[in-house]
Amino acid sequence: MVAKFLHLEWKQFTRSSYFAKSLGIKILMIFLFLYFAAIAVILGGSFFYIVKKSMPEQEPMLFLSSYLIFWVLADLAIRFFWQQLPVMNIKPLMVLPIKKSKVVHYLLGKSVFSFFNLYPILFFVPLAGVLIFNNYSIFDVLIWLLSIVFISLSLNFINFLINKNNTYFYSLIAFIALSIAANHFQLINFETISSRLFYPLFSQQWTLAIPILLLVAVYMLNYNFVFKQFSLDGVVSKKSEAVETSELNFLDKFGAVAPFLKNDIRMIWRNVRPKQVLLTAVFFLFYGLFFFTQDTFADKEWVTVFAGIFVTGGFLITFGAYVPSWDSEYYKLMMSQNIPYKQYLESKWLLICLGCVIASILSIPYIYFGIKIYAIILAGGVFNIGLNSFITLYGGALNRIPIQLNVKAKAFENTQGFNLTQFLIGLPKMLFPILVFFIPYYFLGFKAGLIGLAGTGVLGILFKQQLMQFIEKTYQKGKYKTIAAFSEKQ
C-alpha cells in the first residue's frame, strides 16, 4: 500500500505543469542539503577534540548534555518556521476500500523522511564514532545515540501537533516563555536542568525507555488527531464565517485602479496566507538592527545599503514577489472580463509603493544610529519604488504557480508561488543597488553614492510608462499559459 501511495504522488508530481520549476527548486535544495550536511558531519567529528583542547578539565559528554536543551528549543523553533509538513490529497482515497488507519500512518510516516530529522544524525553519528575511537563504552554510546534519534523524531511529531492544533501551540509557547523568564531571573538554570535530563541518557542505559515512550506518546497523539479529522464531511463541508466589509472609499481618488486596490486590501485582511506574508514584511523593519548595531559595518556605508533595501522593501519582497499568484484562484474570471492589464499592474505597483512608503516612515527611529543611516534607508526606499518595484512585477510575469489563500503555511518555508526563475529575478534587487551606490561612493564619496542610489530610483519613476508598457506586453504574451497553470492545483 505504501508503494501505491508513493506511485500516485510521483505521478501527480511529474504530470503537473510546474514539474520543471519544482524540479529546479528541489535540485537547489539538494545542493543546500549537501552543504549543511557536510558542515554537520565536520562539526560532529571535531566536537570532542575541540572541547578537549579548549577545556581539558571538562568531560565532553557532560558539557554537551548541559546544552542539549538549547538544541531542543532551537530545533523546535527552526522546524516551526521552516519544516514543510507532509500533505496528501485524501478526497479520492475516502471513497476507496482503503483503511483510514493505513493512510494516516503513511501520512505521519512521510514526515520522518525530512532533513530536519537527518541533520542530528549527521552530527551525532560522527561524534559517536569519535567517542568509540576514544575508548568510550560502545554499548553506552549506541544507547545514547538511539536516545538522541528518538528525541529528534519526537520533536518532529511535536512540531506536527503545534502546527495543526492551536491548543498545543499556545501551551508550548507559554511553557517556553515561563521557562525563559525563570532562567532570566535565576529561579532555574537551563544548563543544570539540561545536564540532569540528558547526561543520564549516556550514563544510565535504562533511560533509553524515556525517549521511546515519549516518541510513542506524541505519535499516538498525532495519529488520533489526524484520524478524527479524516472524514468526508469534514473535508467537503466548508465552515461559514462572518466577513467584515469595508467600502474603502478613500481609495476612490486613485481612479480606475481603485477597485483593484480595494480587492487586494480585502484579500490581505480576510485570508490567512496574505496575513502571514504581511506579518513577515513587518519583521523586515528590524533587519537593519543586525547591521547598524555591529561595529564591523560602522565604516562600511556601502554594506548598509543592503539593510536599507530590506528595511523599506519588506512588503515588496514578500507580497510583491507573488504577483499575480495572489489572484490565482479567480485569475481566469478576471481575464474573462474587459479589464486592461495596465490597470491591473498599476494597482499592484501602487500597493507595493505604498508598502515602501509606510516602511520608510516606520523606520524613522533608525535616526538614533545617525542621519547617514536614515539617509541610506530613504535612498533605498526610493530605489525600491523606482526600480525594484518594476523588477518585481516583471518577475511576476514568469510566475505561474498558484497560491491557496486560506491554507495555513509558514511564510519562510512555503514554496507556493515560488520558483527558481523568481529566485534569479530577485538577485538583481539585492545586488544592483549595492553596485549603484558603491561605484560613485568609491570614487566620489558618501553623498555621491547616496545621490546615485536615489537618482536611479527617480529615473525609474520618470520612465514609469515605458517600463509598465514593457511589463504589460510580457504579461500579455504569457496570459494563456498563466491561466492554464493557475487552473491546476498543486
Side-chain angles (χ1 to χ4, degrees), residues 354-485:
L354 181 62
C356 293
V357 171
I358 292 174
S360 299
I361 295 172
L362 293 177
S363 61
I364 288 177
Y366 279 112
I367 293 178
Y368 172 81
F369 297 102
I371 297 297
K372 278 188 175 182
I373 294 297
Y374 189 63
I376 290 174
I377 291 175
L378 285 182
V382 175
F383 186 91
N384 280 328
I385 293 172
L387 195 62
N388 274 349
S389 59
F390 297 110
I391 296 175
T392 299
L393 288 180
Y394 176 76
L398 309 175
N399 185 15
R400 300 190 180 106
I401 299 181
I403 282 180
Q404 296 178 18
L405 297 177
N406 272 310
V407 173
K408 184 179 180 181
K410 302 299 170 298
F412 296 105
E413 55 83 23
N414 194 284
T415 56
Q416 279 190 323
F418 178 82
N419 55 58
L420 190 57
T421 304
Q422 282 290 94
F423 175 75
L424 295 175
I425 287 290
L427 287 179
K429 292 189 288 187
M430 306 297 110
L431 302 178
F432 187 58
I434 296 178
L435 185 64
V436 168
F437 178 87
F438 179 75
I439 293 176
Y441 167 79
Y442 183 79
F443 291 102
L444 301 173
F446 174 76
K447 291 183 179 178
L450 209 62
I451 292 171
L453 185 64
T456 304
V458 172
L459 283 175
I461 296 173
L462 293 176
F463 288 96
K464 173 195 166 190
Q465 294 302 323
Q466 290 80 358
L467 291 171
M468 290 296 287
Q469 287 175 6
F470 172 74
I471 296 170
E472 182 184 357
K473 288 178 182 178
T474 307
Y475 273 83
Q476 287 283 9
K477 191 179 295 184
K479 175 179 177 179
Y480 296 103
K481 290 182 180 179
T482 304
I483 291 173

Side-chain angles (χ1 to χ4, degrees), residues 266-276 405-406:
R266 290 180 183 129
M267 176 192 67
I268 295 171
W269 183 255
R270 295 173 180 174
N271 295 285
V272 175
R273 281 296 308 280
K275 280 183 179 179
Q276 290 178 330
L405 297 177
N406 272 310

Side-chain angles (χ1 to χ4, degrees), residues 284-312 363 365-370 372-378:
F284 273 79
L285 286 169
F286 303 96
Y287 189 85
L289 295 175
F290 174 77
F291 284 89
F292 305 146
T293 57
Q294 302 293 323
D295 295 334
T296 308
F297 307 115
D299 57 344
K300 297 177 182 177
E301 289 93 346
W302 62 274
V303 178
T304 57
V305 172
F306 188 76
I309 294 295
F310 266 79
V311 169
T312 58
S363 61
Y366 279 112
I367 293 178
Y368 172 81
F369 297 102
K372 278 188 175 182
I373 294 297
Y374 189 63
I376 290 174
I377 291 175
L378 285 182

